[in-house]
Amino acid sequence: MSSATSYPLSGEDREIQGRARRFVDDELIPWEVYAEEHEGRIPEDTRERHHRLAIDLGLFAMNMPTELGGGGMTMLQQTLVSEQLGRVTNALGWCVHTPPAWAPAVVTHEQLDRWIVPTIRGERHECYAITEEGAGSGVDAIAATVRRDGDEYLLNGIKMHVTSFNSANYSFFQGKIADGDHAGGHAMLFVDHDTPGVRVVRVPRYTHTYADQHPIVAFEDVRVPVSNLVGREGDGLAFTYEWFRYERLMIAARCCGAAERLIEEATAFAKDRTQFGGPIIENQAIAHMLADSLTELWAARLMTYRLAENIDAGLDVKLQHAQCSMAKLYASEMAGRVADRAVQIFGGRGYMRENVAERFYRELRVDRIWEGTSEIQRNIVADQLAKRGVLGLLG
Ligand SMILES: Cc1cc2nc3c(=O)[nH]c(=O)nc-3n(C[C@H](O)[C@H](O)[C@H](O)COP(=O)(O)OP(=O)(O)OC[C@H]3O[C@@H](n4cnc5c(N)ncnc54)[C@H](O)[C@@H]3O)c2cc1C
């Protein structure tokens, strides 16, 4: 990538960015159409190869500390890698897994050995069981219960949209403490999926074509030792918010990657495709769609990189919260607009599943919904704006 027009990055940052880009271009993108045609799945030996390469290239668990076997990357470097992973469809980039970075600071030694370190090594895989029928944007409305019973907790609840449950072997289960000093507070617990009482209720189909499913999962009288509690009783919501902040930034980065790929592909097509005796890019209507897309991508990218650097520099958590919401809001809405224009530029081909614009048009839609909808991001930003003012938020 030329340095003339892009963000100032160190040599190490560029090397990491290039490593991720080559992995995406050489190994992942070639499997997109196959995945689309096979319910998101690719041959097992290829899936295993991608998993091994992600580890060998030092991209897997890039967000985890090096002393635990992770990549120890800066937030900016993680953003650069996520951006590249965003250039591929069908969630093939998910072979680069980022375990919960908040965990090492709060889990016990036993929990570290049993769940977190094996996850960093790629031997175990987690998922998040938080959302419920009656609790989506308003997480505090969860009805799942966590009841202390001697040396155990008894868990009950039905969770929705549990992403990757089919490829994970343990969940972070979030419920409300039923009684005792912390009654009504949130608790988060490790739950191995082979624990009696964990059951898939239904596997709904979603707009995208991913191998990772989002089932409805019942936790019925599930008993886990008290040592499975993450942190302390009442802490559960804080971990969820920390994860949201991180994921919102990474979603922004992936959306920038998706938009870049779409603009590249749509530009190449518009230069090549001839109608009425000339390439369609010579029509101002087409050229302006590309110009708007590139301009918006640049804005989103600058915002995303700058926020990552702010976090690396120790930005106050409340400001991080607002800025992560702004980056996710803007980048996800930008990518949605870019995908819509790309479909239009490809014309009928843009409506075919073998076309990258068609796939991104479907896949990017969820980035305005998960990890907090666009409306929730606006609520967060507006709340912080009222409290801190423009200068307080943007400097
Ligand atoms: C593909 C997918 C994967 C997911 N993976 C997971 C997962 O792994 N684990 C997990 O726990 N959850 C997961 N989720 C759940 C996701 O986080 C929620 O869908 C999301 O937070 C929105 O909640 P909801 O769907 O219940 O919508 P609702 O909260 O019911 O919102 C419906 C509409 O009302 C709007 N709205 C709600 N409140 C307000 C308000 N105060 N102001 C303005 N507008 C408002 C929303 O913006 C939205 O437009 C996933 C969802 C999807 C679609």
Side-chain angles (χ1 to χ4, degrees):
M1 188 191 287
S2 136
S3 59
T5 54
S6 55
Y7 203 76
L9 298 173
S10 71
E12 187 190 358
D13 293 345
R14 282 200 179 283
E15 189 279 321
I16 289 170
Q17 184 186 45
R19 212 188 309 157
R21 191 175 183 92
R22 281 190 298 280
F23 177 50
V24 168
D25 284 339
D26 299 347
E27 301 287 341
L28 304 184
I29 286 179
W31 286 98
E32 287 177 326
V33 175
Y34 182 97
E36 184 60 42
E37 289 168 353
H38 294 83
E39 297 187 336
R41 294 192 185 83
I42 53 176
E44 189 50 30
D45 58 339
T46 306
R47 196 198 61 77
E48 182 55 33
R49 176 183 158 75
H50 291 168
H51 178 68
R52 279 262 51 96
L53 275 169
I55 293 171
D56 294 347
L57 289 168
L59 303 174
F60 196 92
M62 61 185 171
N63 60 332
M64 301 305 279
T66 44
E67 53 275 22
L68 296 179
M73 289 191 197
T74 65
M75 201 57 84
L76 179 61
Q77 290 166 348
Q78 294 175 51
T79 297
L80 296 171
V81 172
S82 291
E83 184 180 18
Q84 294 308 315
L85 297 171
R87 293 174 54 247
V88 61
T89 63
N90 299 85
L92 294 174
W94 288 13
C95 61
V96 176
H97 184 58
T98 47
W102 51 266
V106 296
V107 300
T108 63
H109 288 298
E110 186 209 331
Q111 291 170 345
L112 206 57
D113 290 345
R114 199 164 151 202
W115 287 288
I116 303 303
V117 170
T119 306
I120 294 171
R121 289 201 199 109
E123 297 158 4
R124 302 205 68 180
H125 198 311
E126 85 287 12
C127 62
Y128 293 84
I130 299 167
T131 302
E132 298 174 7
E133 173 76 31
S137 302
V139 180
D140 197 32
I142 56 173
T145 54
V146 175
R147 189 179 299 279
R148 179 88 185 240
D149 183 18
D151 290 340
E152 293 178 328
Y153 282 111
L154 186 65
L155 315 181
N156 275 287
I158 299 184
K159 298 294 184 175
M160 278 188 82
H161 309 300
V162 186
T163 296
S164 305
F165 185 87
N166 59 320
S167 58
N169 43 33
Y170 70 96
S171 285
F172 284 103
F173 172 91
Q174 193 157 322
K176 280 201 175 165
I177 300 152
D179 39 36
D181 292 347
H182 301 282
H186 286 244
M188 186 178 270
L189 299 102
F190 288 98
V191 180
D192 285 321
H193 288 174
D194 57 5
T195 312
V198 179
R199 171 176 73 87
V200 172
V201 176
R202 192 162 70 82
V203 185
R205 301 199 68 186
Y206 286 68
T207 303
H208 51 222
T209 315
Y210 288 2
D212 285 75
Q213 300 167 341
H214 317 280
I216 298 170
V217 182
F219 295 77
E220 293 162 328
D221 290 333
V222 174
R223 287 185 174 275
V224 296
V226 288
S227 57
N228 282 29
L229 179 70
V230 184
R232 292 165 307 180
E233 289 190 359
D235 283 351
L237 210 49
F239 306 141
T240 305
Y241 286 146
E242 197 163 331
W243 179 248
F244 277 167
R245 272 196 299 281
Y246 175 74
E247 262 305 297
R248 285 169 188 168
L249 173 58
M250 294 304 137
I251 287 172
R254 289 197 296 268
C255 285
C256 288
E260 181 196 320
R261 170 100 187 274
L262 285 163
I263 297 167
E264 273 175 351
E265 300 258 6
T267 305
F269 178 80
K271 286 165 74 176
D272 187 57
R273 173 74 174 160
T274 297
Q275 285 296 285
F276 300 102
I280 60 169
I281 200 166
E282 289 178 3
N283 298 294
Q284 200 177 62
I286 299 290
H288 282 189
M289 282 197 273
L290 291 167
D292 284 344
S293 296
L294 188 67
T295 306
E296 292 175 33
L297 166 60
W298 194 22
R301 184 184 276 174
L302 291 176
M303 190 187 250
T304 303
Y305 287 7
R306 185 67 208 165
L307 167 56
E309 284 187 325
N310 286 347
I311 295 173
D312 283 328
L315 181 71
D316 170 77
V317 167
K318 291 265 185 228
L319 286 178
Q320 275 188 37
H321 206 57
Q323 293 190 357
C324 287
S325 288
M326 283 191 264
K328 189 217 182 229
L329 172 66
Y330 185 74
S332 63
E333 301 215 334
M334 174 279 300
R337 288 190 294 275
V338 170
D340 187 71
R341 293 179 193 127
V343 168
Q344 199 65 20
I345 291 168
F346 276 106
R349 289 167 179 77
Y351 203 62
M352 296 166 76
R353 290 199 171 214
E354 63 200 53
N355 185 289
V356 65
E358 190 278 342
R359 294 193 301 278
F360 268 129
Y361 181 73
R362 279 181 291 122
E363 292 184 12
L364 287 166
R365 189 63 186 83
V366 79
D367 288 317
R368 286 184 265 164
I369 297 171
W370 60 11
E371 311 299 353
T373 63
S374 284
E375 292 72 32
I376 296 304
Q377 309 309 328
R378 288 188 173 93
N379 289 352
I380 292 168
V381 175
D383 178 57
Q384 288 291 313
L385 176 63
K387 286 179 180 146
R388 293 162 186 270
V390 176
L391 288 181
L393 280 187
L394 303 183

